[in-house]
Each structure stands twice: as structure tokens, then as C-alpha cells.
Amino acid sequence: MDTRTHEMMKVCLLAGKIMLKSGAETYRVEDTMIRIAEAYRFDKVHAFVTPTAIILSIEGSHSQIEETKFIRITKRSIDLHKVSLVNEVSRKVSESVLTLEEAGQELREVEKADFNFPIGWQIVAAAFVSGCFLIMFQGMWRDFIPAFITGGIGYFIFIYFHRFVQVKFFSEVFASFIIGLIAVVMVRLGVGEEVDKIIIGAVMPLVPGVLITNAVRDLMAGHLISGLSRGAEAFLTATAIGTGIAVVITIF
């Protein structure tokens, strides 16, 4: 493999890796990788992406040998700002603004950057969102504070329990169980009024909204494997949330 083809594949794979780990749809990842390669005049480019792997096959303009590379994706999160930055690099490449080396450097900087808010701010945001969802689902303003507290504690439990138990399913079950338990206790103490609305509002920060959206968009784009796998992952999360709440309701 010539040096230029090797560097080209590294840039494409890095762009795809950042996007996939940051929550982008698989069809968008494939499209971005192919656009970057074609912008540098590489033909016969093929990209195959699933939620856990990226395969890139490319034939350089100076080589008749087809090369294929594969990378494994083990951890995924939601960071749409990184997805936007990679798209911006892709647009610059398509407009011939960046050289191959410059594009690689910008992508490495995006990969190293950490745009996540501090854990404390995430918990406060989850608490506030819980209260707002309670109102959206026609709950009473009296239950805003109970939902605020319940949602914040539930999200706190989810984050810190997940640090000790790497299986996300169990973290979601435990967090939803705590949410249901706190909601029931608050209502029985007279602090809250409608236990169902408090629970619904508090579990919303745990609901995989982006995952469900990406699953539908991948299916609509014809990426059946990715769409079904993301849908299964979203279904497991929904099952975990329902299981934790069901246990509390059964006990009390």
C-alpha cells in the first residue's frame, strides 16, 4: 500500500470512528467516509458500518491493489457536537480547503477534545428536564419539585452505578427502581400527589431518544442490520426502565 492511500484510510476511519462513537447514524458515517475519500480523488471506495464496527475498502489512484481495514467500536455515547465538527471537516475537504495532513490533524484534535459538561451540571439538567416533562404530561405544578428531586437522584444513581457495573442494563434497572421507590415514598409522605406522573417525568432522562431516532433513520435509509441492532438496544433500555418501575409497583 502506498503512503498516500494509507493516510487516506486513516483519515476516513478516524472520521467514521469519531462519528459512530458520538452517536451518529450509520448511513451518515458511511456517507462522510466516502465523501472524504472521493474528495481526494480515490475511486472504488466502499464503507460498511454497524454500531460496533467499521470496514473500509479503498483503491488508490496510484495502486491497483484493493486494501481493506477494520476497526472495532466498543464504547458509544451521545456527543452531537463532535458529529457536527466532523461534518465541518468533511465539508472543508470537499471544498478542497484542507490537505490530507491538515484534515487528519483536525480530526485528531476533535477526537481528543472533551465537550461533556461536568457531572454535576448533567444531574441538574436531568432534574430540571424531569420536572418539565411532568408538566408536559399534564402533571400538577405541585409535583414539579418531587419530580425534580426524583429525576436528579435517579440520574445520579445511573451515572455512578454504571462506573462499578459496566453492563448498562443493570444500571438502568437499578436507577429506575430508585426513581420508583422515591416517587412512592414522596407521595405517601404527602410531598407529591400523582405518583405515575412523577415517575414518568423522572425516567425521561434515561429514555434512549437519540437511539430510537437513529434506529428509525437507519431503517428508512435501508441499513437494516444497524437499524435492527439499534432498535434492539433501545428495546433493552426500555425493558430495563420498565422492570425497575414494575418491581417497585409490585412491592408497594
mmCIF file of all heavy atoms in Angstrom, residues 162-203:
data_model
loop_
_atom_site.group_PDB
_atom_site.id
_atom_site.type_symbol
_atom_site.label_atom_id
_atom_site.label_comp_id
_atom_site.label_asym_id
_atom_site.label_seq_id
_atom_site.Cartn_x
_atom_site.Cartn_y
_atom_site.Cartn_z
ATOM 1 N N HIS A 162 -23.133 2.892 37.129
ATOM 2 C CA HIS A 162 -22.571 2.398 35.866
ATOM 3 C C HIS A 162 -21.042 2.349 35.918
ATOM 4 O O HIS A 162 -20.412 1.608 35.153
ATOM 5 C CB HIS A 162 -23.028 3.287 34.706
ATOM 6 C CG HIS A 162 -22.673 2.751 33.357
ATOM 7 N ND1 HIS A 162 -22.951 1.454 32.956
ATOM 8 C CD2 HIS A 162 -22.038 3.320 32.298
ATOM 9 C CE1 HIS A 162 -22.526 1.265 31.732
ATOM 10 N NE2 HIS A 162 -21.952 2.371 31.308
ATOM 11 N N ARG A 163 -20.437 3.114 36.810
ATOM 12 C CA ARG A 163 -18.980 3.080 36.952
ATOM 13 C C ARG A 163 -18.511 1.775 37.575
ATOM 14 O O ARG A 163 -17.386 1.328 37.340
ATOM 15 C CB ARG A 163 -18.500 4.250 37.792
ATOM 16 C CG ARG A 163 -18.698 5.610 37.124
ATOM 17 C CD ARG A 163 -18.067 6.715 37.941
ATOM 18 N NE ARG A 163 -18.156 8.000 37.257
ATOM 19 C CZ ARG A 163 -17.608 9.122 37.722
ATOM 20 N NH1 ARG A 163 -16.921 9.115 38.867
ATOM 21 N NH2 ARG A 163 -17.728 10.248 37.038
ATOM 22 N N PHE A 164 -19.356 1.153 38.382
ATOM 23 C CA PHE A 164 -18.989 -0.093 39.053
ATOM 24 C C PHE A 164 -19.510 -1.325 38.311
ATOM 25 O O PHE A 164 -18.895 -2.378 38.346
ATOM 26 C CB PHE A 164 -19.536 -0.090 40.487
ATOM 27 C CG PHE A 164 -19.021 1.045 41.328
ATOM 28 C CD1 PHE A 164 -19.807 2.171 41.557
ATOM 29 C CD2 PHE A 164 -17.749 1.013 41.870
ATOM 30 C CE1 PHE A 164 -19.333 3.225 42.319
ATOM 31 C CE2 PHE A 164 -17.265 2.065 42.631
ATOM 32 C CZ PHE A 164 -18.054 3.181 42.849
ATOM 33 N N VAL A 165 -20.658 -1.172 37.658
ATOM 34 C CA VAL A 165 -21.232 -2.265 36.877
ATOM 35 C C VAL A 165 -21.246 -1.821 35.416
ATOM 36 O O VAL A 165 -22.028 -0.953 35.037
ATOM 37 C CB VAL A 165 -22.658 -2.602 37.347
ATOM 38 C CG1 VAL A 165 -23.232 -3.739 36.518
ATOM 39 C CG2 VAL A 165 -22.661 -2.960 38.826
ATOM 40 N N GLN A 166 -20.386 -2.407 34.615
ATOM 41 C CA GLN A 166 -20.217 -1.955 33.242
ATOM 42 C C GLN A 166 -21.390 -2.299 32.332
ATOM 43 O O GLN A 166 -21.518 -1.747 31.251
ATOM 44 C CB GLN A 166 -18.926 -2.541 32.658
ATOM 45 C CG GLN A 166 -17.670 -2.043 33.341
ATOM 46 C CD GLN A 166 -17.527 -0.525 33.242
ATOM 47 O OE1 GLN A 166 -17.708 0.065 32.175
ATOM 48 N NE2 GLN A 166 -17.208 0.110 34.356
ATOM 49 N N VAL A 167 -22.239 -3.231 32.775
ATOM 50 C CA VAL A 167 -23.412 -3.585 31.979
ATOM 51 C C VAL A 167 -24.474 -2.505 32.175
ATOM 52 O O VAL A 167 -25.033 -2.351 33.267
ATOM 53 C CB VAL A 167 -23.968 -4.969 32.379
ATOM 54 C CG1 VAL A 167 -25.182 -5.326 31.509
ATOM 55 C CG2 VAL A 167 -22.884 -6.034 32.247
ATOM 56 N N LYS A 168 -24.752 -1.774 31.110
ATOM 57 C CA LYS A 168 -25.674 -0.641 31.196
ATOM 58 C C LYS A 168 -27.067 -1.060 31.617
ATOM 59 O O LYS A 168 -27.774 -0.313 32.309
ATOM 60 C CB LYS A 168 -25.716 0.064 29.836
ATOM 61 C CG LYS A 168 -26.484 1.368 29.833
ATOM 62 C CD LYS A 168 -26.465 1.986 28.436
ATOM 63 C CE LYS A 168 -27.295 3.250 28.391
ATOM 64 N NZ LYS A 168 -27.345 3.817 27.026
ATOM 65 N N PHE A 169 -27.495 -2.252 31.238
ATOM 66 C CA PHE A 169 -28.839 -2.739 31.551
ATOM 67 C C PHE A 169 -29.097 -2.715 33.053
ATOM 68 O O PHE A 169 -30.141 -2.249 33.511
ATOM 69 C CB PHE A 169 -29.007 -4.166 30.998
ATOM 70 C CG PHE A 169 -30.350 -4.775 31.278
ATOM 71 C CD1 PHE A 169 -31.424 -4.549 30.433
ATOM 72 C CD2 PHE A 169 -30.535 -5.585 32.389
ATOM 73 C CE1 PHE A 169 -32.657 -5.112 30.689
ATOM 74 C CE2 PHE A 169 -31.763 -6.145 32.655
ATOM 75 C CZ PHE A 169 -32.836 -5.924 31.803
ATOM 76 N N PHE A 170 -28.146 -3.213 33.837
ATOM 77 C CA PHE A 170 -28.332 -3.282 35.281
ATOM 78 C C PHE A 170 -28.316 -1.892 35.915
ATOM 79 O O PHE A 170 -29.030 -1.645 36.898
ATOM 80 C CB PHE A 170 -27.256 -4.173 35.905
ATOM 81 C CG PHE A 170 -27.350 -5.607 35.482
ATOM 82 C CD1 PHE A 170 -26.375 -6.168 34.688
ATOM 83 C CD2 PHE A 170 -28.429 -6.396 35.860
ATOM 84 C CE1 PHE A 170 -26.458 -7.488 34.276
ATOM 85 C CE2 PHE A 170 -28.524 -7.720 35.459
ATOM 86 C CZ PHE A 170 -27.537 -8.270 34.658
ATOM 87 N N SER A 171 -27.526 -0.990 35.368
ATOM 88 C CA SER A 171 -27.517 0.384 35.867
ATOM 89 C C SER A 171 -28.879 1.035 35.661
ATOM 90 O O SER A 171 -29.386 1.755 36.535
ATOM 91 C CB SER A 171 -26.434 1.201 35.156
ATOM 92 O OG SER A 171 -25.162 0.623 35.324
ATOM 93 N N GLU A 172 -29.481 0.789 34.508
ATOM 94 C CA GLU A 172 -30.794 1.367 34.212
ATOM 95 C C GLU A 172 -31.882 0.746 35.077
ATOM 96 O O GLU A 172 -32.798 1.447 35.531
ATOM 97 C CB GLU A 172 -31.107 1.174 32.726
ATOM 98 C CG GLU A 172 -30.216 2.005 31.822
ATOM 99 C CD GLU A 172 -30.211 1.543 30.388
ATOM 100 O OE1 GLU A 172 -30.615 0.387 30.128
ATOM 101 O OE2 GLU A 172 -29.786 2.321 29.506
ATOM 102 N N VAL A 173 -31.798 -0.555 35.327
ATOM 103 C CA VAL A 173 -32.773 -1.214 36.198
ATOM 104 C C VAL A 173 -32.699 -0.641 37.608
ATOM 105 O O VAL A 173 -33.718 -0.303 38.220
ATOM 106 C CB VAL A 173 -32.535 -2.743 36.241
ATOM 107 C CG1 VAL A 173 -33.389 -3.383 37.331
ATOM 108 C CG2 VAL A 173 -32.869 -3.373 34.905
ATOM 109 N N PHE A 174 -31.482 -0.510 38.129
ATOM 110 C CA PHE A 174 -31.311 -0.012 39.495
ATOM 111 C C PHE A 174 -31.750 1.446 39.615
ATOM 112 O O PHE A 174 -32.418 1.828 40.574
ATOM 113 C CB PHE A 174 -29.846 -0.158 39.916
ATOM 114 C CG PHE A 174 -29.590 0.178 41.362
ATOM 115 C CD1 PHE A 174 -30.160 -0.571 42.372
ATOM 116 C CD2 PHE A 174 -28.791 1.256 41.709
ATOM 117 C CE1 PHE A 174 -29.938 -0.268 43.703
ATOM 118 C CE2 PHE A 174 -28.560 1.579 43.030
ATOM 119 C CZ PHE A 174 -29.135 0.813 44.038
ATOM 120 N N ALA A 175 -31.385 2.271 38.624
ATOM 121 C CA ALA A 175 -31.760 3.681 38.649
ATOM 122 C C ALA A 175 -33.273 3.843 38.590
ATOM 123 O O ALA A 175 -33.860 4.654 39.329
ATOM 124 C CB ALA A 175 -31.100 4.426 37.493
ATOM 125 N N SER A 176 -33.945 3.090 37.719
ATOM 126 C CA SER A 176 -35.402 3.188 37.621
ATOM 127 C C SER A 176 -36.076 2.659 38.889
ATOM 128 O O SER A 176 -37.122 3.181 39.309
ATOM 129 C CB SER A 176 -35.903 2.430 36.391
ATOM 130 O OG SER A 176 -35.548 1.063 36.455
ATOM 131 N N PHE A 177 -35.473 1.663 39.504
ATOM 132 C CA PHE A 177 -36.015 1.159 40.779
ATOM 133 C C PHE A 177 -35.963 2.245 41.850
ATOM 134 O O PHE A 177 -36.934 2.461 42.589
ATOM 135 C CB PHE A 177 -35.218 -0.066 41.237
ATOM 136 C CG PHE A 177 -35.596 -0.567 42.596
ATOM 137 C CD1 PHE A 177 -36.718 -1.360 42.772
ATOM 138 C CD2 PHE A 177 -34.844 -0.232 43.711
ATOM 139 C CE1 PHE A 177 -37.079 -1.823 44.048
ATOM 140 C CE2 PHE A 177 -35.184 -0.682 44.976
ATOM 141 C CZ PHE A 177 -36.311 -1.478 45.145
ATOM 142 N N ILE A 178 -34.836 2.940 41.939
ATOM 143 C CA ILE A 178 -34.694 4.027 42.909
ATOM 144 C C ILE A 178 -35.679 5.153 42.605
ATOM 145 O O ILE A 178 -36.291 5.738 43.517
ATOM 146 C CB ILE A 178 -33.248 4.562 42.913
ATOM 147 C CG1 ILE A 178 -32.273 3.482 43.368
ATOM 148 C CG2 ILE A 178 -33.135 5.795 43.799
ATOM 149 C CD1 ILE A 178 -32.511 2.981 44.782
ATOM 150 N N ILE A 179 -35.868 5.461 41.328
ATOM 151 C CA ILE A 179 -36.822 6.502 40.939
ATOM 152 C C ILE A 179 -38.221 6.133 41.394
ATOM 153 O O ILE A 179 -38.943 6.950 41.986
ATOM 154 C CB ILE A 179 -36.788 6.705 39.406
ATOM 155 C CG1 ILE A 179 -35.515 7.440 39.002
ATOM 156 C CG2 ILE A 179 -38.021 7.477 38.931
ATOM 157 C CD1 ILE A 179 -35.302 7.544 37.509
ATOM 158 N N GLY A 180 -38.631 4.900 41.118
ATOM 159 C CA GLY A 180 -39.958 4.457 41.548
ATOM 160 C C GLY A 180 -40.107 4.474 43.060
ATOM 161 O O GLY A 180 -41.152 4.880 43.587
ATOM 162 N N LEU A 181 -39.061 4.046 43.763
ATOM 163 C CA LEU A 181 -39.092 3.997 45.225
ATOM 164 C C LEU A 181 -39.236 5.400 45.817
ATOM 165 O O LEU A 181 -40.074 5.633 46.711
ATOM 166 C CB LEU A 181 -37.824 3.325 45.742
ATOM 167 C CG LEU A 181 -37.726 3.107 47.256
ATOM 168 C CD1 LEU A 181 -38.820 2.162 47.722
ATOM 169 C CD2 LEU A 181 -36.353 2.537 47.619
ATOM 170 N N ILE A 182 -38.451 6.345 45.328
ATOM 171 C CA ILE A 182 -38.511 7.717 45.837
ATOM 172 C C ILE A 182 -39.872 8.340 45.541
ATOM 173 O O ILE A 182 -40.451 9.036 46.390
ATOM 174 C CB ILE A 182 -37.385 8.575 45.226
ATOM 175 C CG1 ILE A 182 -36.020 8.061 45.678
ATOM 176 C CG2 ILE A 182 -37.541 10.040 45.620
ATOM 177 C CD1 ILE A 182 -34.855 8.748 45.001
ATOM 178 N N ALA A 183 -40.398 8.102 44.343
ATOM 179 C CA ALA A 183 -41.697 8.671 43.969
ATOM 180 C C ALA A 183 -42.797 8.149 44.878
ATOM 181 O O ALA A 183 -43.657 8.919 45.352
ATOM 182 C CB ALA A 183 -42.007 8.325 42.514
ATOM 183 N N VAL A 184 -42.794 6.848 45.158
ATOM 184 C CA VAL A 184 -43.812 6.258 46.035
ATOM 185 C C VAL A 184 -43.701 6.817 47.443
ATOM 186 O O VAL A 184 -44.706 7.166 48.077
ATOM 187 C CB VAL A 184 -43.679 4.720 46.043
ATOM 188 C CG1 VAL A 184 -44.548 4.119 47.140
ATOM 189 C CG2 VAL A 184 -44.074 4.143 44.696
ATOM 190 N N VAL A 185 -42.481 6.918 47.952
ATOM 191 C CA VAL A 185 -42.270 7.438 49.307
ATOM 192 C C VAL A 185 -42.740 8.886 49.405
ATOM 193 O O VAL A 185 -43.403 9.274 50.385
ATOM 194 C CB VAL A 185 -40.781 7.331 49.700
ATOM 195 C CG1 VAL A 185 -40.508 8.088 50.995
ATOM 196 C CG2 VAL A 185 -40.380 5.874 49.845
ATOM 197 N N MET A 186 -42.434 9.702 48.419
ATOM 198 C CA MET A 186 -42.846 11.110 48.438
ATOM 199 C C MET A 186 -44.364 11.256 48.435
ATOM 200 O O MET A 186 -44.917 12.098 49.151
ATOM 201 C CB MET A 186 -42.248 11.849 47.238
ATOM 202 C CG MET A 186 -40.783 12.200 47.392
ATOM 203 S SD MET A 186 -40.217 13.312 46.101
ATOM 204 C CE MET A 186 -38.604 13.763 46.721
ATOM 205 N N VAL A 187 -45.023 10.446 47.638
ATOM 206 C CA VAL A 187 -46.488 10.523 47.594
ATOM 207 C C VAL A 187 -47.088 10.071 48.920
ATOM 208 O O VAL A 187 -48.040 10.684 49.432
ATOM 209 C CB VAL A 187 -47.026 9.675 46.424
ATOM 210 C CG1 VAL A 187 -48.548 9.546 46.495
ATOM 211 C CG2 VAL A 187 -46.623 10.296 45.083
ATOM 212 N N ARG A 188 -46.547 9.030 49.505
ATOM 213 C CA ARG A 188 -47.077 8.527 50.781
ATOM 214 C C ARG A 188 -46.801 9.491 51.936
ATOM 215 O O ARG A 188 -47.551 9.526 52.908
ATOM 216 C CB ARG A 188 -46.483 7.157 51.090
ATOM 217 C CG ARG A 188 -46.933 6.084 50.106
ATOM 218 C CD ARG A 188 -46.758 4.700 50.641
ATOM 219 N NE ARG A 188 -47.327 3.710 49.733
ATOM 220 C CZ ARG A 188 -47.400 2.405 50.019
ATOM 221 N NH1 ARG A 188 -46.929 1.956 51.176
ATOM 222 N NH2 ARG A 188 -47.939 1.568 49.147
ATOM 223 N N LEU A 189 -45.741 10.267 51.808
ATOM 224 C CA LEU A 189 -45.451 11.278 52.829
ATOM 225 C C LEU A 189 -46.251 12.558 52.615
ATOM 226 O O LEU A 189 -46.177 13.469 53.432
ATOM 227 C CB LEU A 189 -43.952 11.596 52.841
ATOM 228 C CG LEU A 189 -43.020 10.478 53.328
ATOM 229 C CD1 LEU A 189 -41.559 10.905 53.200
ATOM 230 C CD2 LEU A 189 -43.335 10.101 54.775
ATOM 231 N N GLY A 190 -46.958 12.634 51.509
ATOM 232 C CA GLY A 190 -47.758 13.812 51.213
ATOM 233 C C GLY A 190 -47.011 14.916 50.503
ATOM 234 O O GLY A 190 -47.565 15.992 50.268
ATOM 235 N N VAL A 191 -45.750 14.652 50.128
ATOM 236 C CA VAL A 191 -44.968 15.662 49.414
ATOM 237 C C VAL A 191 -45.417 15.754 47.964
ATOM 238 O O VAL A 191 -45.477 16.837 47.384
ATOM 239 C CB VAL A 191 -43.460 15.344 49.494
ATOM 240 C CG1 VAL A 191 -42.648 16.389 48.725
ATOM 241 C CG2 VAL A 191 -43.008 15.273 50.940
ATOM 242 N N GLY A 192 -45.726 14.599 47.366
ATOM 243 C CA GLY A 192 -46.203 14.547 45.993
ATOM 244 C C GLY A 192 -47.660 14.154 45.932
ATOM 245 O O GLY A 192 -48.249 13.708 46.923
ATOM 246 N N GLU A 193 -48.240 14.262 44.736
ATOM 247 C CA GLU A 193 -49.671 13.979 44.575
ATOM 248 C C GLU A 193 -49.910 12.803 43.627
ATOM 249 O O GLU A 193 -50.613 11.868 43.971
ATOM 250 C CB GLU A 193 -50.378 15.227 44.034
ATOM 251 C CG GLU A 193 -51.895 15.111 44.001
ATOM 252 C CD GLU A 193 -52.507 15.107 45.389
ATOM 253 O OE1 GLU A 193 -51.891 15.673 46.322
ATOM 254 O OE2 GLU A 193 -53.602 14.529 45.540
ATOM 255 N N GLU A 194 -49.339 12.853 42.426
ATOM 256 C CA GLU A 194 -49.580 11.818 41.426
ATOM 257 C C GLU A 194 -48.299 11.029 41.184
ATOM 258 O O GLU A 194 -47.377 11.503 40.509
ATOM 259 C CB GLU A 194 -50.070 12.437 40.113
ATOM 260 C CG GLU A 194 -51.397 13.158 40.232
ATOM 261 C CD GLU A 194 -51.820 13.795 38.926
ATOM 262 O OE1 GLU A 194 -51.043 14.628 38.403
ATOM 263 O OE2 GLU A 194 -52.903 13.462 38.417
ATOM 264 N N VAL A 195 -48.254 9.813 41.710
ATOM 265 C CA VAL A 195 -47.030 9.020 41.628
ATOM 266 C C VAL A 195 -46.701 8.639 40.185
ATOM 267 O O VAL A 195 -45.515 8.590 39.796
ATOM 268 C CB VAL A 195 -47.151 7.747 42.504
ATOM 269 C CG1 VAL A 195 -48.235 6.817 41.962
ATOM 270 C CG2 VAL A 195 -45.820 7.030 42.598
ATOM 271 N N ASP A 196 -47.726 8.394 39.366
ATOM 272 C CA ASP A 196 -47.460 7.987 37.986
ATOM 273 C C ASP A 196 -46.805 9.108 37.180
ATOM 274 O O ASP A 196 -45.867 8.878 36.418
ATOM 275 C CB ASP A 196 -48.748 7.524 37.309
ATOM 276 C CG ASP A 196 -49.836 8.581 37.334
ATOM 277 O OD1 ASP A 196 -49.821 9.437 38.256
ATOM 278 O OD2 ASP A 196 -50.708 8.567 36.447
ATOM 279 N N LYS A 197 -47.294 10.343 37.368
ATOM 280 C CA LYS A 197 -46.719 11.472 36.629
ATOM 281 C C LYS A 197 -45.295 11.771 37.104
ATOM 282 O O LYS A 197 -44.430 12.136 36.296
ATOM 283 C CB LYS A 197 -47.599 12.710 36.812
ATOM 284 C CG LYS A 197 -49.024 12.536 36.307
ATOM 285 C CD LYS A 197 -49.048 12.397 34.809
ATOM 286 C CE LYS A 197 -50.456 12.129 34.281
ATOM 287 N NZ LYS A 197 -51.459 13.088 34.705
ATOM 288 N N ILE A 198 -45.044 11.621 38.384
ATOM 289 C CA ILE A 198 -43.689 11.853 38.911
ATOM 290 C C ILE A 198 -42.717 10.829 38.322
ATOM 291 O O ILE A 198 -41.604 11.171 37.899
ATOM 292 C CB ILE A 198 -43.678 11.780 40.449
ATOM 293 C CG1 ILE A 198 -44.521 12.916 41.052
ATOM 294 C CG2 ILE A 198 -42.253 11.847 40.993
ATOM 295 C CD1 ILE A 198 -44.686 12.832 42.540
ATOM 296 N N ILE A 199 -43.146 9.570 38.278
ATOM 297 C CA ILE A 199 -42.287 8.516 37.732
ATOM 298 C C ILE A 199 -42.024 8.749 36.250
ATOM 299 O O ILE A 199 -40.882 8.650 35.779
ATOM 300 C CB ILE A 199 -42.934 7.130 37.961
ATOM 301 C CG1 ILE A 199 -42.900 6.770 39.441
ATOM 302 C CG2 ILE A 199 -42.204 6.067 37.138
ATOM 303 C CD1 ILE A 199 -43.610 5.474 39.777
ATOM 304 N N ILE A 200 -43.074 9.083 35.500
ATOM 305 C CA ILE A 200 -42.914 9.306 34.060
ATOM 306 C C ILE A 200 -41.928 10.433 33.787
ATOM 307 O O ILE A 200 -41.041 10.326 32.937
ATOM 308 C CB ILE A 200 -44.271 9.614 33.409
ATOM 309 C CG1 ILE A 200 -45.155 8.370 33.421
ATOM 310 C CG2 ILE A 200 -44.087 10.102 31.969
ATOM 311 C CD1 ILE A 200 -46.581 8.625 32.977
ATOM 312 N N GLY A 201 -42.074 11.537 34.520
ATOM 313 C CA GLY A 201 -41.154 12.657 34.323
ATOM 314 C C GLY A 201 -39.731 12.310 34.700
ATOM 315 O O GLY A 201 -38.777 12.678 33.999
ATOM 316 N N ALA A 202 -39.562 11.557 35.802
ATOM 317 C CA ALA A 202 -38.224 11.261 36.314
ATOM 318 C C ALA A 202 -37.452 10.267 35.453
ATOM 319 O O ALA A 202 -36.214 10.305 35.419
ATOM 320 C CB ALA A 202 -38.322 10.743 37.748
ATOM 321 N N VAL A 203 -38.149 9.364 34.769
ATOM 322 C CA VAL A 203 -37.432 8.370 33.964
ATOM 323 C C VAL A 203 -37.085 8.890 32.571
ATOM 324 O O VAL A 203 -36.290 8.252 31.848
ATOM 325 C CB VAL A 203 -38.244 7.050 33.810
ATOM 326 C CG1 VAL A 203 -38.512 6.428 35.162
ATOM 327 C CG2 VAL A 203 -39.522 7.274 33.028
#
